[in-house]
Amino acid sequence: MNAVPASQRLLFTTITILYWTSMYVYVPTLSPYLSDRGFSLPFIGIVLGSYGLVQMFVRFPLGILSDRFGKRKPFILLGMLTAGISCLLFLIPGPWIWPLAGRLMAGVCASTWVAFTVLYASYFGTGQTGRAMGNISVMTVSGQMVGMLLSGWLTDGFSPNAPFTLGAVIAIIGLLLAVMLKEPKANQREQPGMSFAMIKNVVRTKTLLQVSLLSILAHGVLFITMFGFTPLKAAEMGADGVKLTLLVFAFMLPHAFASLVTARWFTPRFGYWGTIGAGFFISAVCTASMAFTGSMEMLVITQAINGFAQGLHMPLLLGLAIRDVEHAGRATAMGLYQALYAVGMFSGPFLAGWLNESWGLNSGFLFGSLLGAAAFVLVLVWALRERKPVVKVGGDYAEEAGRS
């Protein structure tokens, strides 16, 4: 692996944070914003879920194209461009088509995340995938947190349209910076592009399929709760922009902390399955408790614990998705993984929206809790089937496929 200059790593980090900030600067106020415009809960669920629907069909082909051409930068540029377009579409006055189109374009933007993750993984040596994904998860959460913390303040201090305007500006800045990004020479394609046989081998990777299923359930929970209907529940409790900001901070800060320390602290002690299982169990309990929460204070507490719990399993699932795949096929593997977990991003809020319309807002949180519980059961079953001794190498735990 060629050494990557510190300036390029800093540039990549900055672009990544801007990328996520531009996409999430309006997320906390999106469901209240749509509700204030008179849209029904099922339609709000469709808009929220459309973000994942696009990714189901776009991420995998983008991953294959990235491996085919051996390039990541063009897709990063595409991501910043579509982030700005997404925000601008929300600013167009008129009927339901524009917010739906804006969220669909955000799905295209998020689909380019395949290139970000694979490029950053190429900065690290063999056996350091977990560390790389832990680092990039912190960048992700940092960008999301900055955007979501700004959201309520912008809405209260300026107008409901202010988050979308700032999101477009941030995306343009990120696009200009991304032009200066350079790919490591080792990352350039030195062999023919992906063949159908190689794609077939990638999609049959056992670990990839396992963590993809878990990630479908994980993202279903996430997009039902903090990135879905939790802000609407807070708004029904009378939360203003400041309180929404507090709610976001309560979720995102523990989430970022857990993402940072999981690979260093928890995985060496409890293994992959143990850490992932604990995250799902705690998340399921917290999500269920939201249905019985009657005060803003308790809602904040549940989000803080839920944020930490989801930070335990998210970066590990991301790292495991490409750990057992050759470098030439990693964008394909990541594209498949992210396309599959987009099923959860779509189906979670979509189904919760219909449940909420029929049985009230809390029914969606109970549904989210069932998703978390199902994931915990799967982890438990797989851990018992595949339990093997942990291998230590030079004081560090090796990243082996059979690690429990």
Side-chain angles (χ1 to χ4, degrees):
M1 179 191 72
N2 294 341
V4 179
S7 59
Q8 279 293 304
R9 291 193 182 216
L10 178 60
L11 179 62
F12 179 89
T13 299
T14 303
I15 294 168
T16 301
I17 291 174
L18 292 175
Y19 171 80
W20 287 110
T21 301
S22 65
M23 274 199 291
Y24 277 77
V25 69
Y26 59 82
V27 167
T29 57
L30 181 57
S31 54
Y33 170 77
L34 295 174
S35 180
D36 289 343
R37 288 183 58 177
F39 295 118
S40 66
L41 286 173
F43 177 75
I44 293 174
I46 291 172
V47 172
L48 296 175
S50 65
Y51 174 74
L53 179 65
V54 172
Q55 296 173 59
M56 288 166 53
F57 300 103
V58 176
R59 274 184 158 168
F60 189 38
L62 279 184
I64 293 175
L65 285 174
S66 181
D67 279 335
R68 180 72 180 174
F69 297 113
K71 299 286 187 180
R72 318 302 179 195
K73 180 178 174 178
F75 299 94
I76 292 175
L77 293 171
L78 176 64
M80 298 310 308
L81 177 63
T82 51
I85 294 174
S86 168
C87 292
L88 292 174
L89 286 171
F90 279 104
L91 294 174
I92 300 175
W96 57 270
I97 189 65
W98 299 118
L100 179 60
R103 203 59 182 147
L104 288 169
M105 186 59 68
V108 175
C109 172
S111 297
T112 65
W113 182 236
V114 173
F116 283 82
T117 51
V118 176
L119 177 60
Y120 190 69
S122 73
Y123 291 172
F124 292 78
T126 304
Q128 293 186 302
T129 304
R131 177 187 170 194
M133 293 303 100
N135 290 348
I136 203 170
S137 292
V138 174
M139 298 176 207
T140 300
V141 174
S142 298
Q144 291 172 345
M145 183 165 63
V146 170
M148 294 172 77
L149 288 175
L150 289 171
S151 186
W153 172 74
L154 288 167
T155 299
D156 280 357
F158 298 93
S159 75
N161 289 332
F164 305 107
T165 303
L166 182 61
V169 172
I170 292 172
I172 292 171
I173 295 172
L175 178 62
L176 295 175
L177 290 176
V179 172
M180 298 183 285
L181 196 64
K182 297 178 181 178
E183 296 191 53
K185 290 183 180 180
N187 193 53
Q188 304 299 318
R189 176 167 57 87
E190 299 174 354
Q191 60 185 23
M194 287 290 290
S195 65
F196 286 110
M198 293 171 67
I199 295 172
K200 186 177 180 181
N201 289 335
V202 168
V203 300
R204 286 183 171 180
T205 305
K206 180 181 179 182
T207 306
L208 170 61
L209 296 177
Q210 286 178 324
V211 299
S212 295
L213 178 55
L214 292 176
S215 204
I216 289 172
L217 298 172
H219 283 81
V221 176
L222 180 60
F223 278 77
I224 288 172
T225 55
M226 194 64 240
F227 294 166
F229 293 100
T230 298
L232 186 56
K233 183 177 178 69
E236 289 186 352
M237 292 179 174
D240 56 11
V242 174
K243 289 184 178 179
L244 281 176
T245 298
L246 175 62
L247 185 68
V248 169
F249 190 78
F251 179 89
M252 299 302 289
L253 187 60
H255 189 74
F257 177 74
S259 298
L260 182 64
V261 302
T262 291
R264 294 177 176 88
W265 294 0
F266 296 104
T267 310
R269 292 170 176 80
F270 306 107
Y272 281 107
W273 290 133
T275 306
I276 292 170
F280 276 116
F281 178 80
I282 297 170
S283 180
V285 172
C286 287
T287 303
S289 68
M290 292 172 61
F292 306 99
T293 298
S295 68
M296 187 66 190
E297 291 76 14
M298 288 303 300
L299 186 63
V300 168
I301 292 173
T302 62
Q303 290 314 287
I305 300 174
N306 212 347
F308 182 84
Q310 294 186 30
L312 289 177
H313 56 64
M314 287 291 191
L316 294 184
L317 295 174
L318 187 65
L320 287 170
I322 60 174
R323 187 194 61 186
D324 299 336
V325 179
E326 295 294 330
H327 284 276
R330 283 191 164 184
T332 298
M334 187 60 73
L336 176 62
Y337 169 72
Q338 294 182 6
L340 289 175
Y341 77 53
V343 174
M345 296 164 66
F346 165 72
S347 61
F350 177 77
L351 294 174
W354 287 101
L355 289 172
N356 293 340
E357 180 75 5
S358 300
W359 290 288
L361 194 59
N362 291 331
S363 62
F365 298 130
L366 293 175
F367 173 63
S369 178
L370 290 176
L371 296 182
F376 172 72
V377 172
L378 286 174
V379 170
L380 189 62
V381 171
W382 290 338
L384 292 174
R385 285 181 180 177
E386 301 179 10
R387 195 169 188 84
K388 294 181 181 179
V390 175
V391 180
K392 266 194 171 184
V393 179
D396 294 326
Y397 283 75
E399 293 185 343
E400 299 294 337
R403 187 175 178 179
S404 61

